[in-house]
Amino acid sequence: MSSKKFRITSIALLACLLFTTGATGYIDTNRDTRPAPEKALVETIGTNGYDFLTETDTLKYYYRDDRDIFMIVDKRNGYTWKTGLDAAYSSEIKKNMAAASNDEELLLAAEPKEKNLNATYIGIANSLVTVEYSELETTKYISSASEKGASSVLSGNGRDYKLDVNMEAIDLKLSVYITLGEDEISYFVPFEEMSGEGLKSVTAVILTPFLGASGGLAQYYDPETGDYGEAVSKYMVPGYVLVPDGSGALIRFTDNNVAFTSYEGDVYGSDPSTETFYYSEVTDAVPVKDPVMPVFGIAHGNRQAAFVAYAESGAEYMDIIVNPEETKRIKYTYAYPRFEYNLTYYQVYNNAGSGYFTLMEEPNIFDVRMTYKFLAGDGSKGFAADYTGMALAYREHLVEEGILTEKDVTAGDIPMRADFLMSDVKKSVIGTTQVVTTTVDDVRDILNDLEEAGIKNVNSGLIGWQKKSETLAKPASFSFTKSIGSSKDFKGLMKEFAERGKDLSFSRNFTVINDKMLSYYTNAAKHVNTWYLSVDRTVLYPKNAPVQYTGYALPEKTAKWIETAAKKASSYAGSLTITGSSNILTATYDRNGVVTSLTDSAKLIAESMEAAAGKLALNLENPNMYLWKYTNRYLKAPVGNSQFVFESDTVPFLQLVLNGTMEMYAPYSNFSFYTQADILRMIDYNVYPSFVFTGEPSYLLSDTASSDMYSTEYTEYKAIAKRVYEGVNGVLSRTMGMDWTGREVLKSGLIKNTYKDGKETHYVIINYTQSDETVDGVKVPALSAIFR
C-alpha cells in the first residue's frame, strides 16, 4: 500500500524454543504464548463533563463535546472505555483554574497535566478523528478536537450521529457518521464528504488512536502547595494489543526502558505501485509478515474487558499502527487504524534516473468503515475478553457477511499436503535448459509409497509441471514436455488418484512475471511515476538463473489468466493451486493517473477467483481476506510472526478465525519444521503438515530460480514425513469436525485448547516442556499432546 517510511528490522531472538533449568523450568520467548495478564483494577469513572446519549442492553453511551470523546460503559462488567485520553490542554487548565471561585471549583479545574504530550499530541489523544497531512515535505497532524485550527459539531439522536469536522487551518472539511450499536460502535467516513484545498495535502486519516491505551506519565495538583508536583507514572492497565502479524502477535503493555519504532502492519501488504521508488530489492533477510486481514484488538486484564476492531471498507489502504510505550518518548502503548489517501514518491524524469519527491496528484478514493466490538468476561456469556474471543467474534462477523462458510467435516485421518517440484530452467550455452527433478511417474511412485506408509489422505500441487517451467512459461500456458509428462500422462495421473480420493492440481503464480516470459508492454503494472515495476532478485537467484529481475502483472491480466487457467485445468483436475496472486495486491498507473486502484484490483482478483471456483476447488497460498470466500485449502499458513522485539507473544489468531471453514496447512516441514516442538505447534495451532518433494536430488536446481528449495529429495524425507504426520494425526484426527472455542495457557509451556462437539466439550493439552505435567488429574508427558 504505502511508501512506508521505515520498516523496523525484525530481530530474531537467539533463545531456542525450549529451555529447561532446574530452578525455573520452561522459559518463554516471544515465539510462545505467555500466561494471561494480571487482573486489571476496575474503577468507577464519573460522567462529569459528559452528556448521556443512549443505552442498549449491553452498553451505555456518553459524549464529551469539547474533546470529541465517546464514553462507553459496559453494563456486563461495569468497565468504562473512552475513545480518547480525556486530557486537558495546559492552556485550558490555566484558564479554568483562574476562573475558579472556590477550592472545590479549583480542584475540579486542576486536571492532571500529561507529561511528554504537547498540544498536538493531546489533540490526537483526545480526538475521534485525526488528519495526517504533508506541508513542505514535513508530516503534520490536526485533529477534530485540536487546541486551535479545527472545530467539530455532533448532531443526531438515538443511535445514529454525525460529527462534522472543519479543519479551517488547512481548509479541509469531513464528516464521520457514528452508529451506537448493541455491543459495538461503528464509524463511516465517506470520501465524497471530504472537501477543501487541504484535501490535496492529506496523507492519512486516523481514528480514535487512544482507545484502550495503557500507561502514561502525569503531574497532579497538590492543594497543600498550590502547585503541581513531579510527574508520576499513571496506572498501567495490564493487557495487550493483538495484531494480525503472521499467525498473530501480542504486544503487551509494559514499562519499556528503550524506545521502539512503531509497528506498522500494512494490510494486504505494501502496494508496489506506490512505494517510494519504482524498483525494489529482495534480500536474504527473513521477510516481514504482512496482515492478511484488517483487524486488531486490545485486551485489558485477564478476560475482563476487550474490543476487536475491523475495517469493512477501506481495508486495501489500511495500516495497523501500534506505538509501544516509549515510542516517540510517549509513555503510552496505543494502537489505531491509519487509512492512507496520499503519499510521497520519487518521480523520475529521465533515463539517467534523475527526479524529485512529490505527492500524488490525486488522492486515493475510498470510504472508511470501522467497527469496534466490545467483549466482556470469560466467554461463558458471549465472547471472551481476550484474543480468542476477538478471533471468534471476528469469525462470526465474517460468517454473517458471507466471507466465511462453516463446512461439514467427516471424521477420519487429517490430510497432508505433498507438493512436487517438477522442474525449473537454467541458462545453457545456447538459450536455456529445463532441469527436471520429478516426472509424472515419480509423483505416482511417491504417492503410492506414502499410502503404503499409512499416509492415505494426501493432496498435492504440481510446481514447474509445464514446458519452460514456472520461470519462463506464460502464465496461462498449458504446454507440456515429454521429459516430465505429456498432457495424456498428466490426465491419467490425476484421474487415477482422484478415483482413490487424492486431489492433484497444477500450481501457478499469475502475478509475478519477467520480461523473458512475456513482453511487459500491455502486460506489466506501472508505478505511479509511470515506470514499470521492477524487483531485483540478484541476491537470491544464482547467476545461471535465466532471470534476475521480475515485475508484476496488470491486475486485469492476472484476473484473465486465472480464469483461463481454471478453465483449462478443470479438464484435468478437481482443483487449482494459486500462489502469489492470492496475497500480492497492486494498483497500476499511466500518464493520466490511476488505471486500476487497489480497491478495483482486489475486486478484479476476487471476481476471477469466484469464476475459477465455479469450475474447481482453489488451493491458495496465504490468501488475503477478500479471497477467503473462494478458498478451499489455505496453504503455508504462518505459525509465527515477524519477531519484532516488542512482540511479546505468538498466538494462533488466524487459525482460530478460520477454523472449520477451510483446511489449513503449515509451511513446508522440509525446511527445519519437523522437530517434536514443531509437531506440537501444528497440533496447538490446528494446522496440517505439508512437504515439497522431488524425485531427484535438489542440488540439480542450484542454478535455477528454485535454488532456495535446497532440501526436497523424497528419499531423505520419507521417514520424517511419516513421523510428522503420525504425530499430528494422532491428536488432530480426534478433533475433526469439532469447533475450536478456546485456548488457555495453564502455565509456561502448557496449553489447553477447548473443542466442542455439539454439547460435548473436549480438550487438547499440549506440553511443550521437558517435564511431565498433570492437568485435571491426567498425566501429560513431556513434549507431548493428548486429547481428552
mmCIF file with all atom_site columns, all heavy atoms in Angstrom, residues 267-285:
data_model
loop_
_atom_site.group_PDB
_atom_site.id
_atom_site.type_symbol
_atom_site.label_atom_id
_atom_site.label_alt_id
_atom_site.label_comp_id
_atom_site.label_asym_id
_atom_site.label_entity_id
_atom_site.label_seq_id
_atom_site.pdbx_PDB_ins_code
_atom_site.Cartn_x
_atom_site.Cartn_y
_atom_site.Cartn_z
_atom_site.occupancy
_atom_site.B_iso_or_equiv
_atom_site.pdbx_formal_charge
_atom_site.auth_seq_id
_atom_site.auth_comp_id
_atom_site.auth_asym_id
_atom_site.auth_atom_id
_atom_site.pdbx_PDB_model_num
ATOM 1   N N   . VAL A 1 267 ? -1.890 -3.708  5.766   1.00 0.00 ? 267 VAL A N   1
ATOM 2   C CA  . VAL A 1 267 ? -2.908 -4.710  5.458   1.00 0.00 ? 267 VAL A CA  1
ATOM 3   C C   . VAL A 1 267 ? -2.852 -5.087  3.978   1.00 0.00 ? 267 VAL A C   1
ATOM 4   O O   . VAL A 1 267 ? -2.835 -4.216  3.092   1.00 0.00 ? 267 VAL A O   1
ATOM 5   C CB  . VAL A 1 267 ? -4.306 -4.191  5.834   1.00 0.00 ? 267 VAL A CB  1
ATOM 6   C CG1 . VAL A 1 267 ? -5.388 -5.188  5.403   1.00 0.00 ? 267 VAL A CG1 1
ATOM 7   C CG2 . VAL A 1 267 ? -4.384 -3.958  7.346   1.00 0.00 ? 267 VAL A CG2 1
ATOM 8   N N   . TYR A 1 268 ? -2.789 -6.400  3.724   1.00 0.00 ? 268 TYR A N   1
ATOM 9   C CA  . TYR A 1 268 ? -2.662 -6.990  2.381   1.00 0.00 ? 268 TYR A CA  1
ATOM 10  C C   . TYR A 1 268 ? -1.298 -6.730  1.753   1.00 0.00 ? 268 TYR A C   1
ATOM 11  O O   . TYR A 1 268 ? -1.084 -7.003  0.569   1.00 0.00 ? 268 TYR A O   1
ATOM 12  C CB  . TYR A 1 268 ? -3.760 -6.508  1.429   1.00 0.00 ? 268 TYR A CB  1
ATOM 13  C CG  . TYR A 1 268 ? -5.164 -6.725  1.927   1.00 0.00 ? 268 TYR A CG  1
ATOM 14  C CD1 . TYR A 1 268 ? -6.193 -5.861  1.561   1.00 0.00 ? 268 TYR A CD1 1
ATOM 15  C CD2 . TYR A 1 268 ? -5.478 -7.797  2.774   1.00 0.00 ? 268 TYR A CD2 1
ATOM 16  C CE1 . TYR A 1 268 ? -7.491 -6.055  2.016   1.00 0.00 ? 268 TYR A CE1 1
ATOM 17  C CE2 . TYR A 1 268 ? -6.773 -7.995  3.239   1.00 0.00 ? 268 TYR A CE2 1
ATOM 18  C CZ  . TYR A 1 268 ? -7.776 -7.114  2.859   1.00 0.00 ? 268 TYR A CZ  1
ATOM 19  O OH  . TYR A 1 268 ? -9.057 -7.293  3.310   1.00 0.00 ? 268 TYR A OH  1
ATOM 20  N N   . GLY A 1 269 ? -0.356 -6.196  2.522   1.00 0.00 ? 269 GLY A N   1
ATOM 21  C CA  . GLY A 1 269 ? 0.979  -5.956  2.013   1.00 0.00 ? 269 GLY A CA  1
ATOM 22  C C   . GLY A 1 269 ? 1.093  -4.609  1.322   1.00 0.00 ? 269 GLY A C   1
ATOM 23  O O   . GLY A 1 269 ? 0.101  -3.976  0.957   1.00 0.00 ? 269 GLY A O   1
ATOM 24  N N   . SER A 1 270 ? 2.322  -4.159  1.148   1.00 0.00 ? 270 SER A N   1
ATOM 25  C CA  . SER A 1 270 ? 2.541  -2.867  0.508   1.00 0.00 ? 270 SER A CA  1
ATOM 26  C C   . SER A 1 270 ? 2.203  -2.944  -0.977  1.00 0.00 ? 270 SER A C   1
ATOM 27  O O   . SER A 1 270 ? 2.412  -3.976  -1.624  1.00 0.00 ? 270 SER A O   1
ATOM 28  C CB  . SER A 1 270 ? 3.997  -2.424  0.686   1.00 0.00 ? 270 SER A CB  1
ATOM 29  O OG  . SER A 1 270 ? 4.873  -3.361  0.095   1.00 0.00 ? 270 SER A OG  1
ATOM 30  N N   . ASP A 1 271 ? 1.692  -1.865  -1.497  1.00 0.00 ? 271 ASP A N   1
ATOM 31  C CA  . ASP A 1 271 ? 1.369  -1.766  -2.919  1.00 0.00 ? 271 ASP A CA  1
ATOM 32  C C   . ASP A 1 271 ? 2.637  -1.357  -3.666  1.00 0.00 ? 271 ASP A C   1
ATOM 33  O O   . ASP A 1 271 ? 3.118  -0.227  -3.510  1.00 0.00 ? 271 ASP A O   1
ATOM 34  C CB  . ASP A 1 271 ? 0.267  -0.728  -3.120  1.00 0.00 ? 271 ASP A CB  1
ATOM 35  C CG  . ASP A 1 271 ? -0.013 -0.431  -4.579  1.00 0.00 ? 271 ASP A CG  1
ATOM 36  O OD1 . ASP A 1 271 ? 0.468  -1.200  -5.442  1.00 0.00 ? 271 ASP A OD1 1
ATOM 37  O OD2 . ASP A 1 271 ? -0.705 0.560   -4.854  1.00 0.00 ? 271 ASP A OD2 1
ATOM 38  N N   . PRO A 1 272 ? 3.213  -2.250  -4.481  1.00 0.00 ? 272 PRO A N   1
ATOM 39  C CA  . PRO A 1 272 ? 4.453  -1.901  -5.187  1.00 0.00 ? 272 PRO A CA  1
ATOM 40  C C   . PRO A 1 272 ? 4.324  -0.654  -6.047  1.00 0.00 ? 272 PRO A C   1
ATOM 41  O O   . PRO A 1 272 ? 5.302  0.073   -6.242  1.00 0.00 ? 272 PRO A O   1
ATOM 42  C CB  . PRO A 1 272 ? 4.721  -3.137  -6.056  1.00 0.00 ? 272 PRO A CB  1
ATOM 43  C CG  . PRO A 1 272 ? 3.972  -4.251  -5.398  1.00 0.00 ? 272 PRO A CG  1
ATOM 44  C CD  . PRO A 1 272 ? 2.763  -3.613  -4.799  1.00 0.00 ? 272 PRO A CD  1
ATOM 45  N N   . SER A 1 273 ? 3.122  -0.380  -6.533  1.00 0.00 ? 273 SER A N   1
ATOM 46  C CA  . SER A 1 273 ? 2.958  0.745   -7.462  1.00 0.00 ? 273 SER A CA  1
ATOM 47  C C   . SER A 1 273 ? 3.011  2.100   -6.773  1.00 0.00 ? 273 SER A C   1
ATOM 48  O O   . SER A 1 273 ? 3.114  3.130   -7.442  1.00 0.00 ? 273 SER A O   1
ATOM 49  C CB  . SER A 1 273 ? 1.632  0.614   -8.222  1.00 0.00 ? 273 SER A CB  1
ATOM 50  O OG  . SER A 1 273 ? 0.533  0.897   -7.375  1.00 0.00 ? 273 SER A OG  1
ATOM 51  N N   . THR A 1 274 ? 2.931  2.112   -5.441  1.00 0.00 ? 274 THR A N   1
ATOM 52  C CA  . THR A 1 274 ? 3.002  3.391   -4.735  1.00 0.00 ? 274 THR A CA  1
ATOM 53  C C   . THR A 1 274 ? 4.099  3.410   -3.679  1.00 0.00 ? 274 THR A C   1
ATOM 54  O O   . THR A 1 274 ? 4.078  4.241   -2.768  1.00 0.00 ? 274 THR A O   1
ATOM 55  C CB  . THR A 1 274 ? 1.642  3.732   -4.074  1.00 0.00 ? 274 THR A CB  1
ATOM 56  O OG1 . THR A 1 274 ? 1.241  2.641   -3.230  1.00 0.00 ? 274 THR A OG1 1
ATOM 57  C CG2 . THR A 1 274 ? 0.583  4.004   -5.111  1.00 0.00 ? 274 THR A CG2 1
ATOM 58  N N   . GLU A 1 275 ? 5.041  2.482   -3.769  1.00 0.00 ? 275 GLU A N   1
ATOM 59  C CA  . GLU A 1 275 ? 6.225  2.596   -2.925  1.00 0.00 ? 275 GLU A CA  1
ATOM 60  C C   . GLU A 1 275 ? 7.006  3.847   -3.342  1.00 0.00 ? 275 GLU A C   1
ATOM 61  O O   . GLU A 1 275 ? 6.775  4.428   -4.412  1.00 0.00 ? 275 GLU A O   1
ATOM 62  C CB  . GLU A 1 275 ? 7.096  1.343   -3.071  1.00 0.00 ? 275 GLU A CB  1
ATOM 63  C CG  . GLU A 1 275 ? 6.517  0.097   -2.401  1.00 0.00 ? 275 GLU A CG  1
ATOM 64  C CD  . GLU A 1 275 ? 6.561  0.181   -0.886  1.00 0.00 ? 275 GLU A CD  1
ATOM 65  O OE1 . GLU A 1 275 ? 7.369  0.944   -0.346  1.00 0.00 ? 275 GLU A OE1 1
ATOM 66  O OE2 . GLU A 1 275 ? 5.761  -0.524  -0.234  1.00 0.00 ? 275 GLU A OE2 1
ATOM 67  N N   . THR A 1 276 ? 7.956  4.241   -2.530  1.00 0.00 ? 276 THR A N   1
ATOM 68  C CA  . THR A 1 276 ? 8.699  5.467   -2.830  1.00 0.00 ? 276 THR A CA  1
ATOM 69  C C   . THR A 1 276 ? 9.364  5.398   -4.197  1.00 0.00 ? 276 THR A C   1
ATOM 70  O O   . THR A 1 276 ? 9.329  6.363   -4.977  1.00 0.00 ? 276 THR A O   1
ATOM 71  C CB  . THR A 1 276 ? 9.773  5.716   -1.759  1.00 0.00 ? 276 THR A CB  1
ATOM 72  O OG1 . THR A 1 276 ? 9.149  5.740   -0.465  1.00 0.00 ? 276 THR A OG1 1
ATOM 73  C CG2 . THR A 1 276 ? 10.475 7.037   -1.998  1.00 0.00 ? 276 THR A CG2 1
ATOM 74  N N   . PHE A 1 277 ? 9.950  4.238   -4.522  1.00 0.00 ? 277 PHE A N   1
ATOM 75  C CA  . PHE A 1 277 ? 10.637 4.068   -5.796  1.00 0.00 ? 277 PHE A CA  1
ATOM 76  C C   . PHE A 1 277 ? 9.957  2.965   -6.609  1.00 0.00 ? 277 PHE A C   1
ATOM 77  O O   . PHE A 1 277 ? 9.316  2.073   -6.057  1.00 0.00 ? 277 PHE A O   1
ATOM 78  C CB  . PHE A 1 277 ? 12.104 3.719   -5.573  1.00 0.00 ? 277 PHE A CB  1
ATOM 79  C CG  . PHE A 1 277 ? 12.859 4.762   -4.778  1.00 0.00 ? 277 PHE A CG  1
ATOM 80  C CD1 . PHE A 1 277 ? 13.064 4.602   -3.420  1.00 0.00 ? 277 PHE A CD1 1
ATOM 81  C CD2 . PHE A 1 277 ? 13.344 5.906   -5.396  1.00 0.00 ? 277 PHE A CD2 1
ATOM 82  C CE1 . PHE A 1 277 ? 13.751 5.558   -2.681  1.00 0.00 ? 277 PHE A CE1 1
ATOM 83  C CE2 . PHE A 1 277 ? 14.029 6.872   -4.672  1.00 0.00 ? 277 PHE A CE2 1
ATOM 84  C CZ  . PHE A 1 277 ? 14.234 6.704   -3.312  1.00 0.00 ? 277 PHE A CZ  1
ATOM 85  N N   . TYR A 1 278 ? 10.148 3.010   -7.916  1.00 0.00 ? 278 TYR A N   1
ATOM 86  C CA  . TYR A 1 278 ? 9.520  2.013   -8.779  1.00 0.00 ? 278 TYR A CA  1
ATOM 87  C C   . TYR A 1 278 ? 10.256 0.675   -8.725  1.00 0.00 ? 278 TYR A C   1
ATOM 88  O O   . TYR A 1 278 ? 9.751  -0.337  -9.183  1.00 0.00 ? 278 TYR A O   1
ATOM 89  C CB  . TYR A 1 278 ? 9.452  2.511   -10.221 1.00 0.00 ? 278 TYR A CB  1
ATOM 90  C CG  . TYR A 1 278 ? 10.777 2.549   -10.946 1.00 0.00 ? 278 TYR A CG  1
ATOM 91  C CD1 . TYR A 1 278 ? 11.231 1.445   -11.684 1.00 0.00 ? 278 TYR A CD1 1
ATOM 92  C CD2 . TYR A 1 278 ? 11.585 3.686   -10.900 1.00 0.00 ? 278 TYR A CD2 1
ATOM 93  C CE1 . TYR A 1 278 ? 12.453 1.487   -12.344 1.00 0.00 ? 278 TYR A CE1 1
ATOM 94  C CE2 . TYR A 1 278 ? 12.801 3.731   -11.552 1.00 0.00 ? 278 TYR A CE2 1
ATOM 95  C CZ  . TYR A 1 278 ? 13.236 2.627   -12.271 1.00 0.00 ? 278 TYR A CZ  1
ATOM 96  O OH  . TYR A 1 278 ? 14.445 2.661   -12.919 1.00 0.00 ? 278 TYR A OH  1
ATOM 97  N N   . TYR A 1 279 ? 11.448 0.687   -8.168  1.00 0.00 ? 279 TYR A N   1
ATOM 98  C CA  . TYR A 1 279 ? 12.240 -0.534  -8.074  1.00 0.00 ? 279 TYR A CA  1
ATOM 99  C C   . TYR A 1 279 ? 12.446 -0.909  -6.604  1.00 0.00 ? 279 TYR A C   1
ATOM 100 O O   . TYR A 1 279 ? 12.412 -0.053  -5.713  1.00 0.00 ? 279 TYR A O   1
ATOM 101 C CB  . TYR A 1 279 ? 13.596 -0.353  -8.758  1.00 0.00 ? 279 TYR A CB  1
ATOM 102 C CG  . TYR A 1 279 ? 14.383 0.846   -8.257  1.00 0.00 ? 279 TYR A CG  1
ATOM 103 C CD1 . TYR A 1 279 ? 15.210 0.747   -7.139  1.00 0.00 ? 279 TYR A CD1 1
ATOM 104 C CD2 . TYR A 1 279 ? 14.283 2.078   -8.902  1.00 0.00 ? 279 TYR A CD2 1
ATOM 105 C CE1 . TYR A 1 279 ? 15.909 1.846   -6.672  1.00 0.00 ? 279 TYR A CE1 1
ATOM 106 C CE2 . TYR A 1 279 ? 14.989 3.183   -8.441  1.00 0.00 ? 279 TYR A CE2 1
ATOM 107 C CZ  . TYR A 1 279 ? 15.805 3.053   -7.323  1.00 0.00 ? 279 TYR A CZ  1
ATOM 108 O OH  . TYR A 1 279 ? 16.489 4.147   -6.856  1.00 0.00 ? 279 TYR A OH  1
ATOM 109 N N   . SER A 1 280 ? 12.629 -2.188  -6.352  1.00 0.00 ? 280 SER A N   1
ATOM 110 C CA  . SER A 1 280 ? 12.897 -2.674  -5.001  1.00 0.00 ? 280 SER A CA  1
ATOM 111 C C   . SER A 1 280 ? 13.877 -3.828  -5.097  1.00 0.00 ? 280 SER A C   1
ATOM 112 O O   . SER A 1 280 ? 14.164 -4.336  -6.181  1.00 0.00 ? 280 SER A O   1
ATOM 113 C CB  . SER A 1 280 ? 11.602 -3.127  -4.318  1.00 0.00 ? 280 SER A CB  1
ATOM 114 O OG  . SER A 1 280 ? 10.996 -4.188  -5.042  1.00 0.00 ? 280 SER A OG  1
ATOM 115 N N   . GLU A 1 281 ? 14.382 -4.250  -3.967  1.00 0.00 ? 281 GLU A N   1
ATOM 116 C CA  . GLU A 1 281 ? 15.376 -5.308  -3.932  1.00 0.00 ? 281 GLU A CA  1
ATOM 117 C C   . GLU A 1 281 ? 14.981 -6.349  -2.906  1.00 0.00 ? 281 GLU A C   1
ATOM 118 O O   . GLU A 1 281 ? 14.632 -6.015  -1.774  1.00 0.00 ? 281 GLU A O   1
ATOM 119 C CB  . GLU A 1 281 ? 16.752 -4.737  -3.597  1.00 0.00 ? 281 GLU A CB  1
ATOM 120 C CG  . GLU A 1 281 ? 17.855 -5.776  -3.569  1.00 0.00 ? 281 GLU A CG  1
ATOM 121 C CD  . GLU A 1 281 ? 19.209 -5.180  -3.212  1.00 0.00 ? 281 GLU A CD  1
ATOM 122 O OE1 . GLU A 1 281 ? 19.247 -3.981  -2.874  1.00 0.00 ? 281 GLU A OE1 1
ATOM 123 O OE2 . GLU A 1 281 ? 20.220 -5.904  -3.261  1.00 0.00 ? 281 GLU A OE2 1
ATOM 124 N N   . VAL A 1 282 ? 15.001 -7.598  -3.287  1.00 0.00 ? 282 VAL A N   1
ATOM 125 C CA  . VAL A 1 282 ? 14.753 -8.697  -2.364  1.00 0.00 ? 282 VAL A CA  1
ATOM 126 C C   . VAL A 1 282 ? 16.069 -9.050  -1.692  1.00 0.00 ? 282 VAL A C   1
ATOM 127 O O   . VAL A 1 282 ? 17.091 -9.225  -2.360  1.00 0.00 ? 282 VAL A O   1
ATOM 128 C CB  . VAL A 1 282 ? 14.187 -9.927  -3.101  1.00 0.00 ? 282 VAL A CB  1
ATOM 129 C CG1 . VAL A 1 282 ? 14.028 -11.095 -2.141  1.00 0.00 ? 282 VAL A CG1 1
ATOM 130 C CG2 . VAL A 1 282 ? 12.860 -9.590  -3.746  1.00 0.00 ? 282 VAL A CG2 1
ATOM 131 N N   . THR A 1 283 ? 16.067 -9.149  -0.382  1.00 0.00 ? 283 THR A N   1
ATOM 132 C CA  . THR A 1 283 ? 17.273 -9.511  0.347   1.00 0.00 ? 283 THR A CA  1
ATOM 133 C C   . THR A 1 283 ? 17.127 -10.910 0.914   1.00 0.00 ? 283 THR A C   1
ATOM 134 O O   . THR A 1 283 ? 16.068 -11.544 0.802   1.00 0.00 ? 283 THR A O   1
ATOM 135 C CB  . THR A 1 283 ? 17.536 -8.525  1.496   1.00 0.00 ? 283 THR A CB  1
ATOM 136 O OG1 . THR A 1 283 ? 16.540 -8.712  2.519   1.00 0.00 ? 283 THR A OG1 1
ATOM 137 C CG2 . THR A 1 283 ? 17.471 -7.083  1.001   1.00 0.00 ? 283 THR A CG2 1
ATOM 138 N N   . ASP A 1 284 ? 18.191 -11.383 1.553   1.00 0.00 ? 284 ASP A N   1
ATOM 139 C CA  . ASP A 1 284 ? 18.126 -12.712 2.165   1.00 0.00 ? 284 ASP A CA  1
ATOM 140 C C   . ASP A 1 284 ? 17.658 -12.650 3.612   1.00 0.00 ? 284 ASP A C   1
ATOM 141 O O   . ASP A 1 284 ? 17.710 -13.645 4.337   1.00 0.00 ? 284 ASP A O   1
ATOM 142 C CB  . ASP A 1 284 ? 19.480 -13.424 2.069   1.00 0.00 ? 284 ASP A CB  1
ATOM 143 C CG  . ASP A 1 284 ? 20.623 -12.608 2.665   1.00 0.00 ? 284 ASP A CG  1
ATOM 144 O OD1 . ASP A 1 284 ? 20.341 -11.512 3.185   1.00 0.00 ? 284 ASP A OD1 1
ATOM 145 O OD2 . ASP A 1 284 ? 21.772 -13.064 2.606   1.00 0.00 ? 284 ASP A OD2 1
ATOM 146 N N   . ALA A 1 285 ? 17.195 -11.477 4.062   1.00 0.00 ? 285 ALA A N   1
ATOM 147 C CA  . ALA A 1 285 ? 16.634 -11.349 5.407   1.00 0.00 ? 285 ALA A CA  1
ATOM 148 C C   . ALA A 1 285 ? 15.256 -12.003 5.461   1.00 0.00 ? 285 ALA A C   1
ATOM 149 O O   . ALA A 1 285 ? 14.554 -12.084 4.448   1.00 0.00 ? 285 ALA A O   1
ATOM 150 C CB  . ALA A 1 285 ? 16.532 -9.881  5.796   1.00 0.00 ? 285 ALA A CB  1
#
